[in-house]
Amino acid sequence: MKVDFVLKIYLEERAQAIETYLERALEVRNYAKRLWQAMRYSSLNGGKRLRGILCLATLEAFKQDEWQKALPIAAGIECIHAMSLIHDDLPCMDDDTLRRGKPTCHIAFDEASALLAGDALLVEGMALVLQADLKAEVIMRIAQEITGAVGADGMTGGQMIDLVSAGRNITLAELEMMHKMKTGAFLRASVVSGAIAGGADSKQLALLEQYASNIGLAFQIVDDLLDLESDSQTLGKTAGKDLAQDKSTYPKLLGISASKERVQSLIKEAKDFVREAGIRADALSKIADYIIERKS
Ligand code: GRG
């Protein structure tokens, strides 16, 4: 299915709203200028804003006119995501020089500045989440979801597993577990945050968690396929890294066509989950399709 015009406009508008919010929140201060510049360099540089948009779209599925209430959360999520990309690109991690079509943070600045920019974006990102104009107990639940997804049980733990798995043959179950932690948990938290802000009941929350878990895994499989089949210019990051670093990937373990079939079935199931939740499913359902269509 082709990404339709309406979704394209929706994604652009929501990405722009997040960008505008971030632009103000991350204004360069009169002190530690280089830190703020590095933070801005890595967070105001495009990116699909998928996690932030998922948060807004999920809230919108419950309360159409209140999506702007989740803007601080979406912006905070995007700061935390930018932090993970900065640290992922460092020489001691994935050692990359290209991100979102530009030199990575440690190349444009230096390693120490990149490390600090990541540290600060992580904390400032959480601070933005806490600023949302929602009831204190709602913000507390959202903060717990996000910190749980980013910490050792989530993204950071997944990155550790990724590091120690390089050059080793791992099973499909191990690969899936790693990606659930490294990429899936944060995507899931982005959706769940929007659902909590929207007042989802426990059944709706469970269905949206399943939706998010499916699109998270599909997103990662597509990432592996793009790394194999696309080029650095289109991706805005170095293509072919998985092969070069002898990483276990879905295409390597499952084969290309079985990986593509898995993506299709995960997305179909994801759309069923969101439909079953009895909410305004349009945007979330189309975002699921976009995960397959994306080129970068
Ligand atoms: C959280 C303390 C702390 C440390 C982080 C470095 C690290 C530990 C984790 C790395 C996590 C990571 C980089 C996962 C990869 C996720 C991924 C596929 C990113 C690409 O996301 P896109 O395609 O990127 O949404 P854009 O540029 O569009 O935002």
Side-chain angles (χ1 to χ4, degrees):
M1 185 195 129
K2 267 249 129 337
V3 175
D4 71 42
F5 180 72
V6 176
L7 179 67
K8 188 171 179 290
I9 302 273
Y10 177 86
L11 294 176
E12 281 171 9
E13 281 180 0
R14 295 298 175 269
Q16 187 53 55
I18 295 172
E19 200 86 6
T20 304
Y21 195 93
L22 277 178
E23 180 67 48
R24 264 200 305 268
L26 300 179
E27 219 171 302
V28 175
R29 318 298 206 244
N30 285 329
Y31 43 85
K33 274 199 175 138
R34 187 172 173 80
L35 175 64
W36 289 98
Q37 281 159 353
M39 289 160 70
R40 288 173 63 87
Y41 178 83
S42 289
S43 56
L44 289 165
N45 58 349
K48 296 179 289 296
R49 307 288 181 208
L50 180 63
R51 293 153 191 80
I53 293 173
L54 275 170
C55 171
L56 299 177
T58 309
L59 170 54
E60 248 174 300
F62 290 88
K63 297 176 177 168
Q64 196 169 18
D65 301 325
E66 291 189 22
W67 64 270
Q68 288 176 332
K69 276 200 167 180
L71 264 180
I73 304 170
I77 284 173
E78 286 297 323
C79 285
I80 298 168
H81 172 56
M83 169 265 141
S84 76
L85 301 181
I86 296 175
H87 282 193
D88 190 50
D89 292 332
L90 286 171
C92 61
M93 298 269 174
D94 247 14
D95 192 12
D96 219 323
T97 55
L98 189 67
R99 173 68 69 182
R100 293 174 172 169
K102 292 199 314 185
T104 47
C105 191
H106 66 277
I107 298 291
F109 290 80
D110 55 77
E111 255 183 79
S113 303
L115 192 70
L116 290 177
D119 292 342
L121 280 168
L122 176 59
V123 179
E124 297 300 331
M126 270 323 292
L128 287 180
V129 170
L130 298 175
Q131 276 169 28
D133 181 20
L134 294 164
K135 285 192 181 137
E137 69 256 30
V138 171
I139 296 183
M140 176 65 82
R141 283 177 65 199
I142 290 171
Q144 281 169 341
E145 287 294 336
I146 294 176
T147 50
V150 173
D153 291 327
M155 186 199 289
T156 314
Q159 178 78 349
M160 189 74 231
I161 298 175
D162 195 7
L163 283 181
V164 298
S165 305
R168 218 167 51 80
N169 284 327
I170 59 173
T171 64
L172 193 60
E174 287 171 320
L175 181 71
E176 211 144 295
M177 159 94 174
M178 173 185 85
H179 286 310
K180 271 192 177 146
M181 292 172 71
K182 183 177 147 178
T183 319
F186 195 42
L187 266 165
R188 189 192 135 281
S190 307
V191 170
V192 169
S193 299
I196 294 172
D201 64 29
S202 57
K203 183 174 175 233
Q204 289 170 320
L205 211 50
L207 285 164
L208 285 165
E209 284 192 46
Q210 286 173 292
Y211 160 84
S213 149
N214 272 39
I215 65 166
L217 193 51
F219 180 89
Q220 188 56 55
I221 302 176
V222 169
D223 223 58
D224 287 356
L225 288 163
L226 288 173
D227 182 77
L228 198 64
E229 296 184 324
S230 189
D231 56 84
S232 301
Q233 196 184 353
T234 312
L235 290 179
K237 62 181 182 183
T238 314
K241 282 208 80 173
D242 294 338
L243 268 183
Q245 295 182 337
D246 193 21
K247 286 207 170 176
S248 296
T249 63
Y250 285 91
K252 187 173 163 189
L253 295 186
L254 270 184
I256 291 182
S257 73
S259 297
K260 288 183 177 170
E261 279 165 27
R262 184 88 205 276
V263 170
Q264 295 287 350
S265 77
L266 283 165
I267 294 299
K268 183 187 170 305
E269 222 177 46
K271 293 199 288 184
D272 291 342
F273 289 135
V274 87
R275 203 172 305 119
E276 212 185 313
I279 49 180
R280 225 174 263 105
D282 257 27
L284 290 176
S285 185
K286 283 179 179 162
I287 289 172
D289 286 324
Y290 166 72
I291 301 250
I292 311 183
E293 295 280 322
R294 74 190 180 98
K295 300 281 177 261
S296 69

